[in-house]
Amino acid sequence: MMPIPTNLITGFLGSGKTTAINRLLEHRPDGERWSIFVNEYGMVTVDELLIDSECPEVNVQELGGGCLCCTVAFAFDAVFSQFIRRSKPDRLLLEPSGAGHPAALVDKLRDDNFRRAIDLRATICLIDPEDWSKPQWRDSEVFHDQVQMADVVAINFTDKRDPELTRQCREWVESFDPPKMLIAETDHGRIDPAWLDLQGTVVRPPKFGEAHAHNHSHAADHVDAGGLTSIEVPPMLGKPKRIENEGDGQWACGWIFSVDEVFDRDQLLDLLGYLQPVVRLKGVFRCQDDWWVINRSKNETSFSTTAYRRDSRLEIITDSPTSGWEELEQLLLKCK
């Protein structure tokens, strides 16, 4: 079997990775099988629902419950190998957690277990200039190494950010060594498919390879052998399953609600569209008229229908601790 052309699509929380993957899928050559492997920071997996995988030639696998560099590293080999065997892709895209360090994943793909099966090509990192402008993120060792290890850096949201801020962000990226193969400015997650196969990639050692793994306190007891949130008993009506985790300056809380819970879409939008503080918010809810996905990055919120029907679920990531999860849960249950 020929090695599978493989790319990492990295970037911080809310930088537009999932949107970029959906954009790339629009350019998938007819007849090619593409597989998407997503690692989600939170314990309640939602990202898989945001990727357009209705086409039978597109397969998506999500490994939730923590970052590949620490909590779910033990599960990666088995889950990833099984996914490759099942989906038999012509192209493989991996989206690491926005809170995670890409070095561990790169090492995995280059070790003896995968190097014969994987042809690791360009790593593409998306940056939001607004994140770069905040010292707590710009000075983060994980944020730094996401850029350090990228062959291509796409500065996203340029249609919504101050041009001077974008210019300064670009200058910062240009200071990295080895230099990038390409630095591009884009919007709406637009990635040129040609970037996936750029020639001349080099080994880019991280500067802070161990930074992330020592700063995590995931709720590992909720992660099963597949790395997915373990629900031994389905949630009862009015009693959702709530799971929290935190690390590296971020706090997350996820809920899984009974499939019989029916929500009011307008009330949900009013509550979740303006909730603060939020770095990332993703959810799927059964409403009176349909099932809806809510996707919020910072202060931008979108709603869309989905074919998902298993349960309602929500994941929120913040950059500050809060004691308000119980109160929010009660407000969610009132959105009916």
Side-chain angles (χ1 to χ4, degrees):
M1 184 180 74
M2 294 293 292
I4 305 163
T6 300
N7 302 88
L8 303 188
I9 309 297
T10 70
F12 205 61
L13 294 164
S15 61
K17 299 186 298 298
T18 303
T19 300
I21 289 174
N22 280 325
R23 293 280 187 179
L24 286 169
L25 288 174
E26 294 173 0
H27 299 281
R28 179 184 57 85
D30 290 342
E32 276 197 6
R33 295 187 303 274
W34 283 30
S35 294
I36 320 296
F37 192 89
V38 182
N39 172 222
E40 191 164 358
Y41 173 82
M43 308 297 287
V44 175
T45 57
V46 180
D47 273 351
E48 181 179 351
L49 309 178
L50 305 180
I51 295 176
D52 184 5
S53 58
E54 294 184 3
C55 174
E57 286 86 15
V58 176
N59 289 276
V60 182
Q61 172 74 57
E62 190 163 25
L63 182 63
C67 301
L68 289 173
C69 58
C70 45
T71 309
V72 296
F74 73 94
F76 175 77
D77 285 16
V79 176
F80 187 59
S81 297
Q82 185 182 49
F83 179 54
I84 292 175
R85 288 194 297 269
R86 185 181 76 248
S87 61
K88 299 179 174 62
D90 298 303
R91 166 80 64 179
L92 183 60
L93 302 179
L94 291 93
E95 179 189 339
S97 164
H101 198 300
L105 181 53
V106 170
D107 289 344
K108 281 280 188 183
L109 298 177
R110 287 176 174 156
D111 71 16
D112 291 340
N113 290 333
F114 296 112
R115 64 183 179 184
R116 292 182 180 85
I118 296 298
D119 176 11
L120 187 58
R121 300 189 178 182
T123 293
I124 300 174
C125 178
L126 288 99
I127 296 181
D128 181 348
E130 185 176 281
D131 290 334
W132 173 84
S133 70
K134 298 176 180 178
Q136 70 267 36
W137 301 137
R138 183 178 65 242
D139 298 338
S140 160
E141 294 173 339
V142 171
F143 184 93
H144 185 105
D145 270 355
Q146 286 176 349
V147 179
Q148 167 71 16
M149 300 196 68
D151 300 297
V152 176
V153 172
I155 302 174
N156 201 15
F157 303 109
T158 54
D159 58 324
K160 299 178 180 178
R161 305 299 182 242
D162 184 273
E164 176 61 19
L165 182 63
T166 298
R167 184 193 66 79
Q168 293 175 10
C169 180
R170 185 182 186 112
E171 285 186 353
W172 180 73
V173 176
E174 289 172 347
S175 71
F176 279 72
D177 184 38
K180 303 304 167 192
M181 297 171 61
L182 176 67
I183 302 172
E185 298 176 15
T186 189
D187 57 68
H188 299 90
R190 292 188 178 94
I191 288 180
D192 187 337
W195 299 351
L196 298 175
D197 298 315
L198 286 176
Q199 299 297 310
T201 59
V202 299
V203 175
R204 300 175 185 272
K207 291 187 177 181
F208 308 101
E210 300 299 320
H212 186 63
H214 299 309
N215 292 321
H216 268 265
S217 171
H218 293 295
D221 56 316
H222 291 286
V223 183
D224 64 20
L228 302 175
T229 303
S230 177
I231 313 174
E232 297 177 0
V233 179
M236 296 175 59
L237 191 66
K239 295 182 178 180
K241 186 180 183 76
R242 184 173 82 238
I243 311 173
E244 302 174 33
N245 62 301
E246 61 90 13
D248 205 48
Q250 293 164 6
W251 288 259
C253 187
W255 290 265
I256 301 177
F257 299 86
S258 167
V259 67
D260 298 319
E261 213 87 60
V262 181
F263 294 86
D264 183 287
R265 184 174 66 94
D266 293 335
Q267 290 186 43
L268 280 174
L269 182 58
D270 287 342
L271 174 62
L272 299 178
Y274 301 98
L275 189 68
Q276 293 291 349
V278 168
V279 173
R280 196 75 169 90
L281 183 153
K282 301 161 289 184
V284 56
F285 292 91
R286 179 186 179 185
C287 300
Q288 292 95 333
D289 58 339
D290 210 333
W291 288 68
W292 289 84
V293 168
I294 180 172
N295 185 10
R296 178 179 165 194
S297 177
K298 305 176 181 74
N299 293 318
E300 298 176 11
T301 306
S302 63
F303 259 98
S304 61
T305 56
T306 177
Y308 181 83
R309 293 292 188 273
R310 194 170 71 210
D311 49 43
S312 294
R313 51 182 56 206
L314 175 68
E315 183 77 36
I316 298 175
I317 300 174
T318 75
D319 57 5
S320 59
T322 177
S323 59
W325 297 130
E326 175 66 33
E327 179 183 359
L328 177 59
E329 181 177 305
Q330 295 307 311
L331 292 173
L332 287 165
L333 290 171
K334 291 179 180 177
C335 290
K336 301 182 201 178

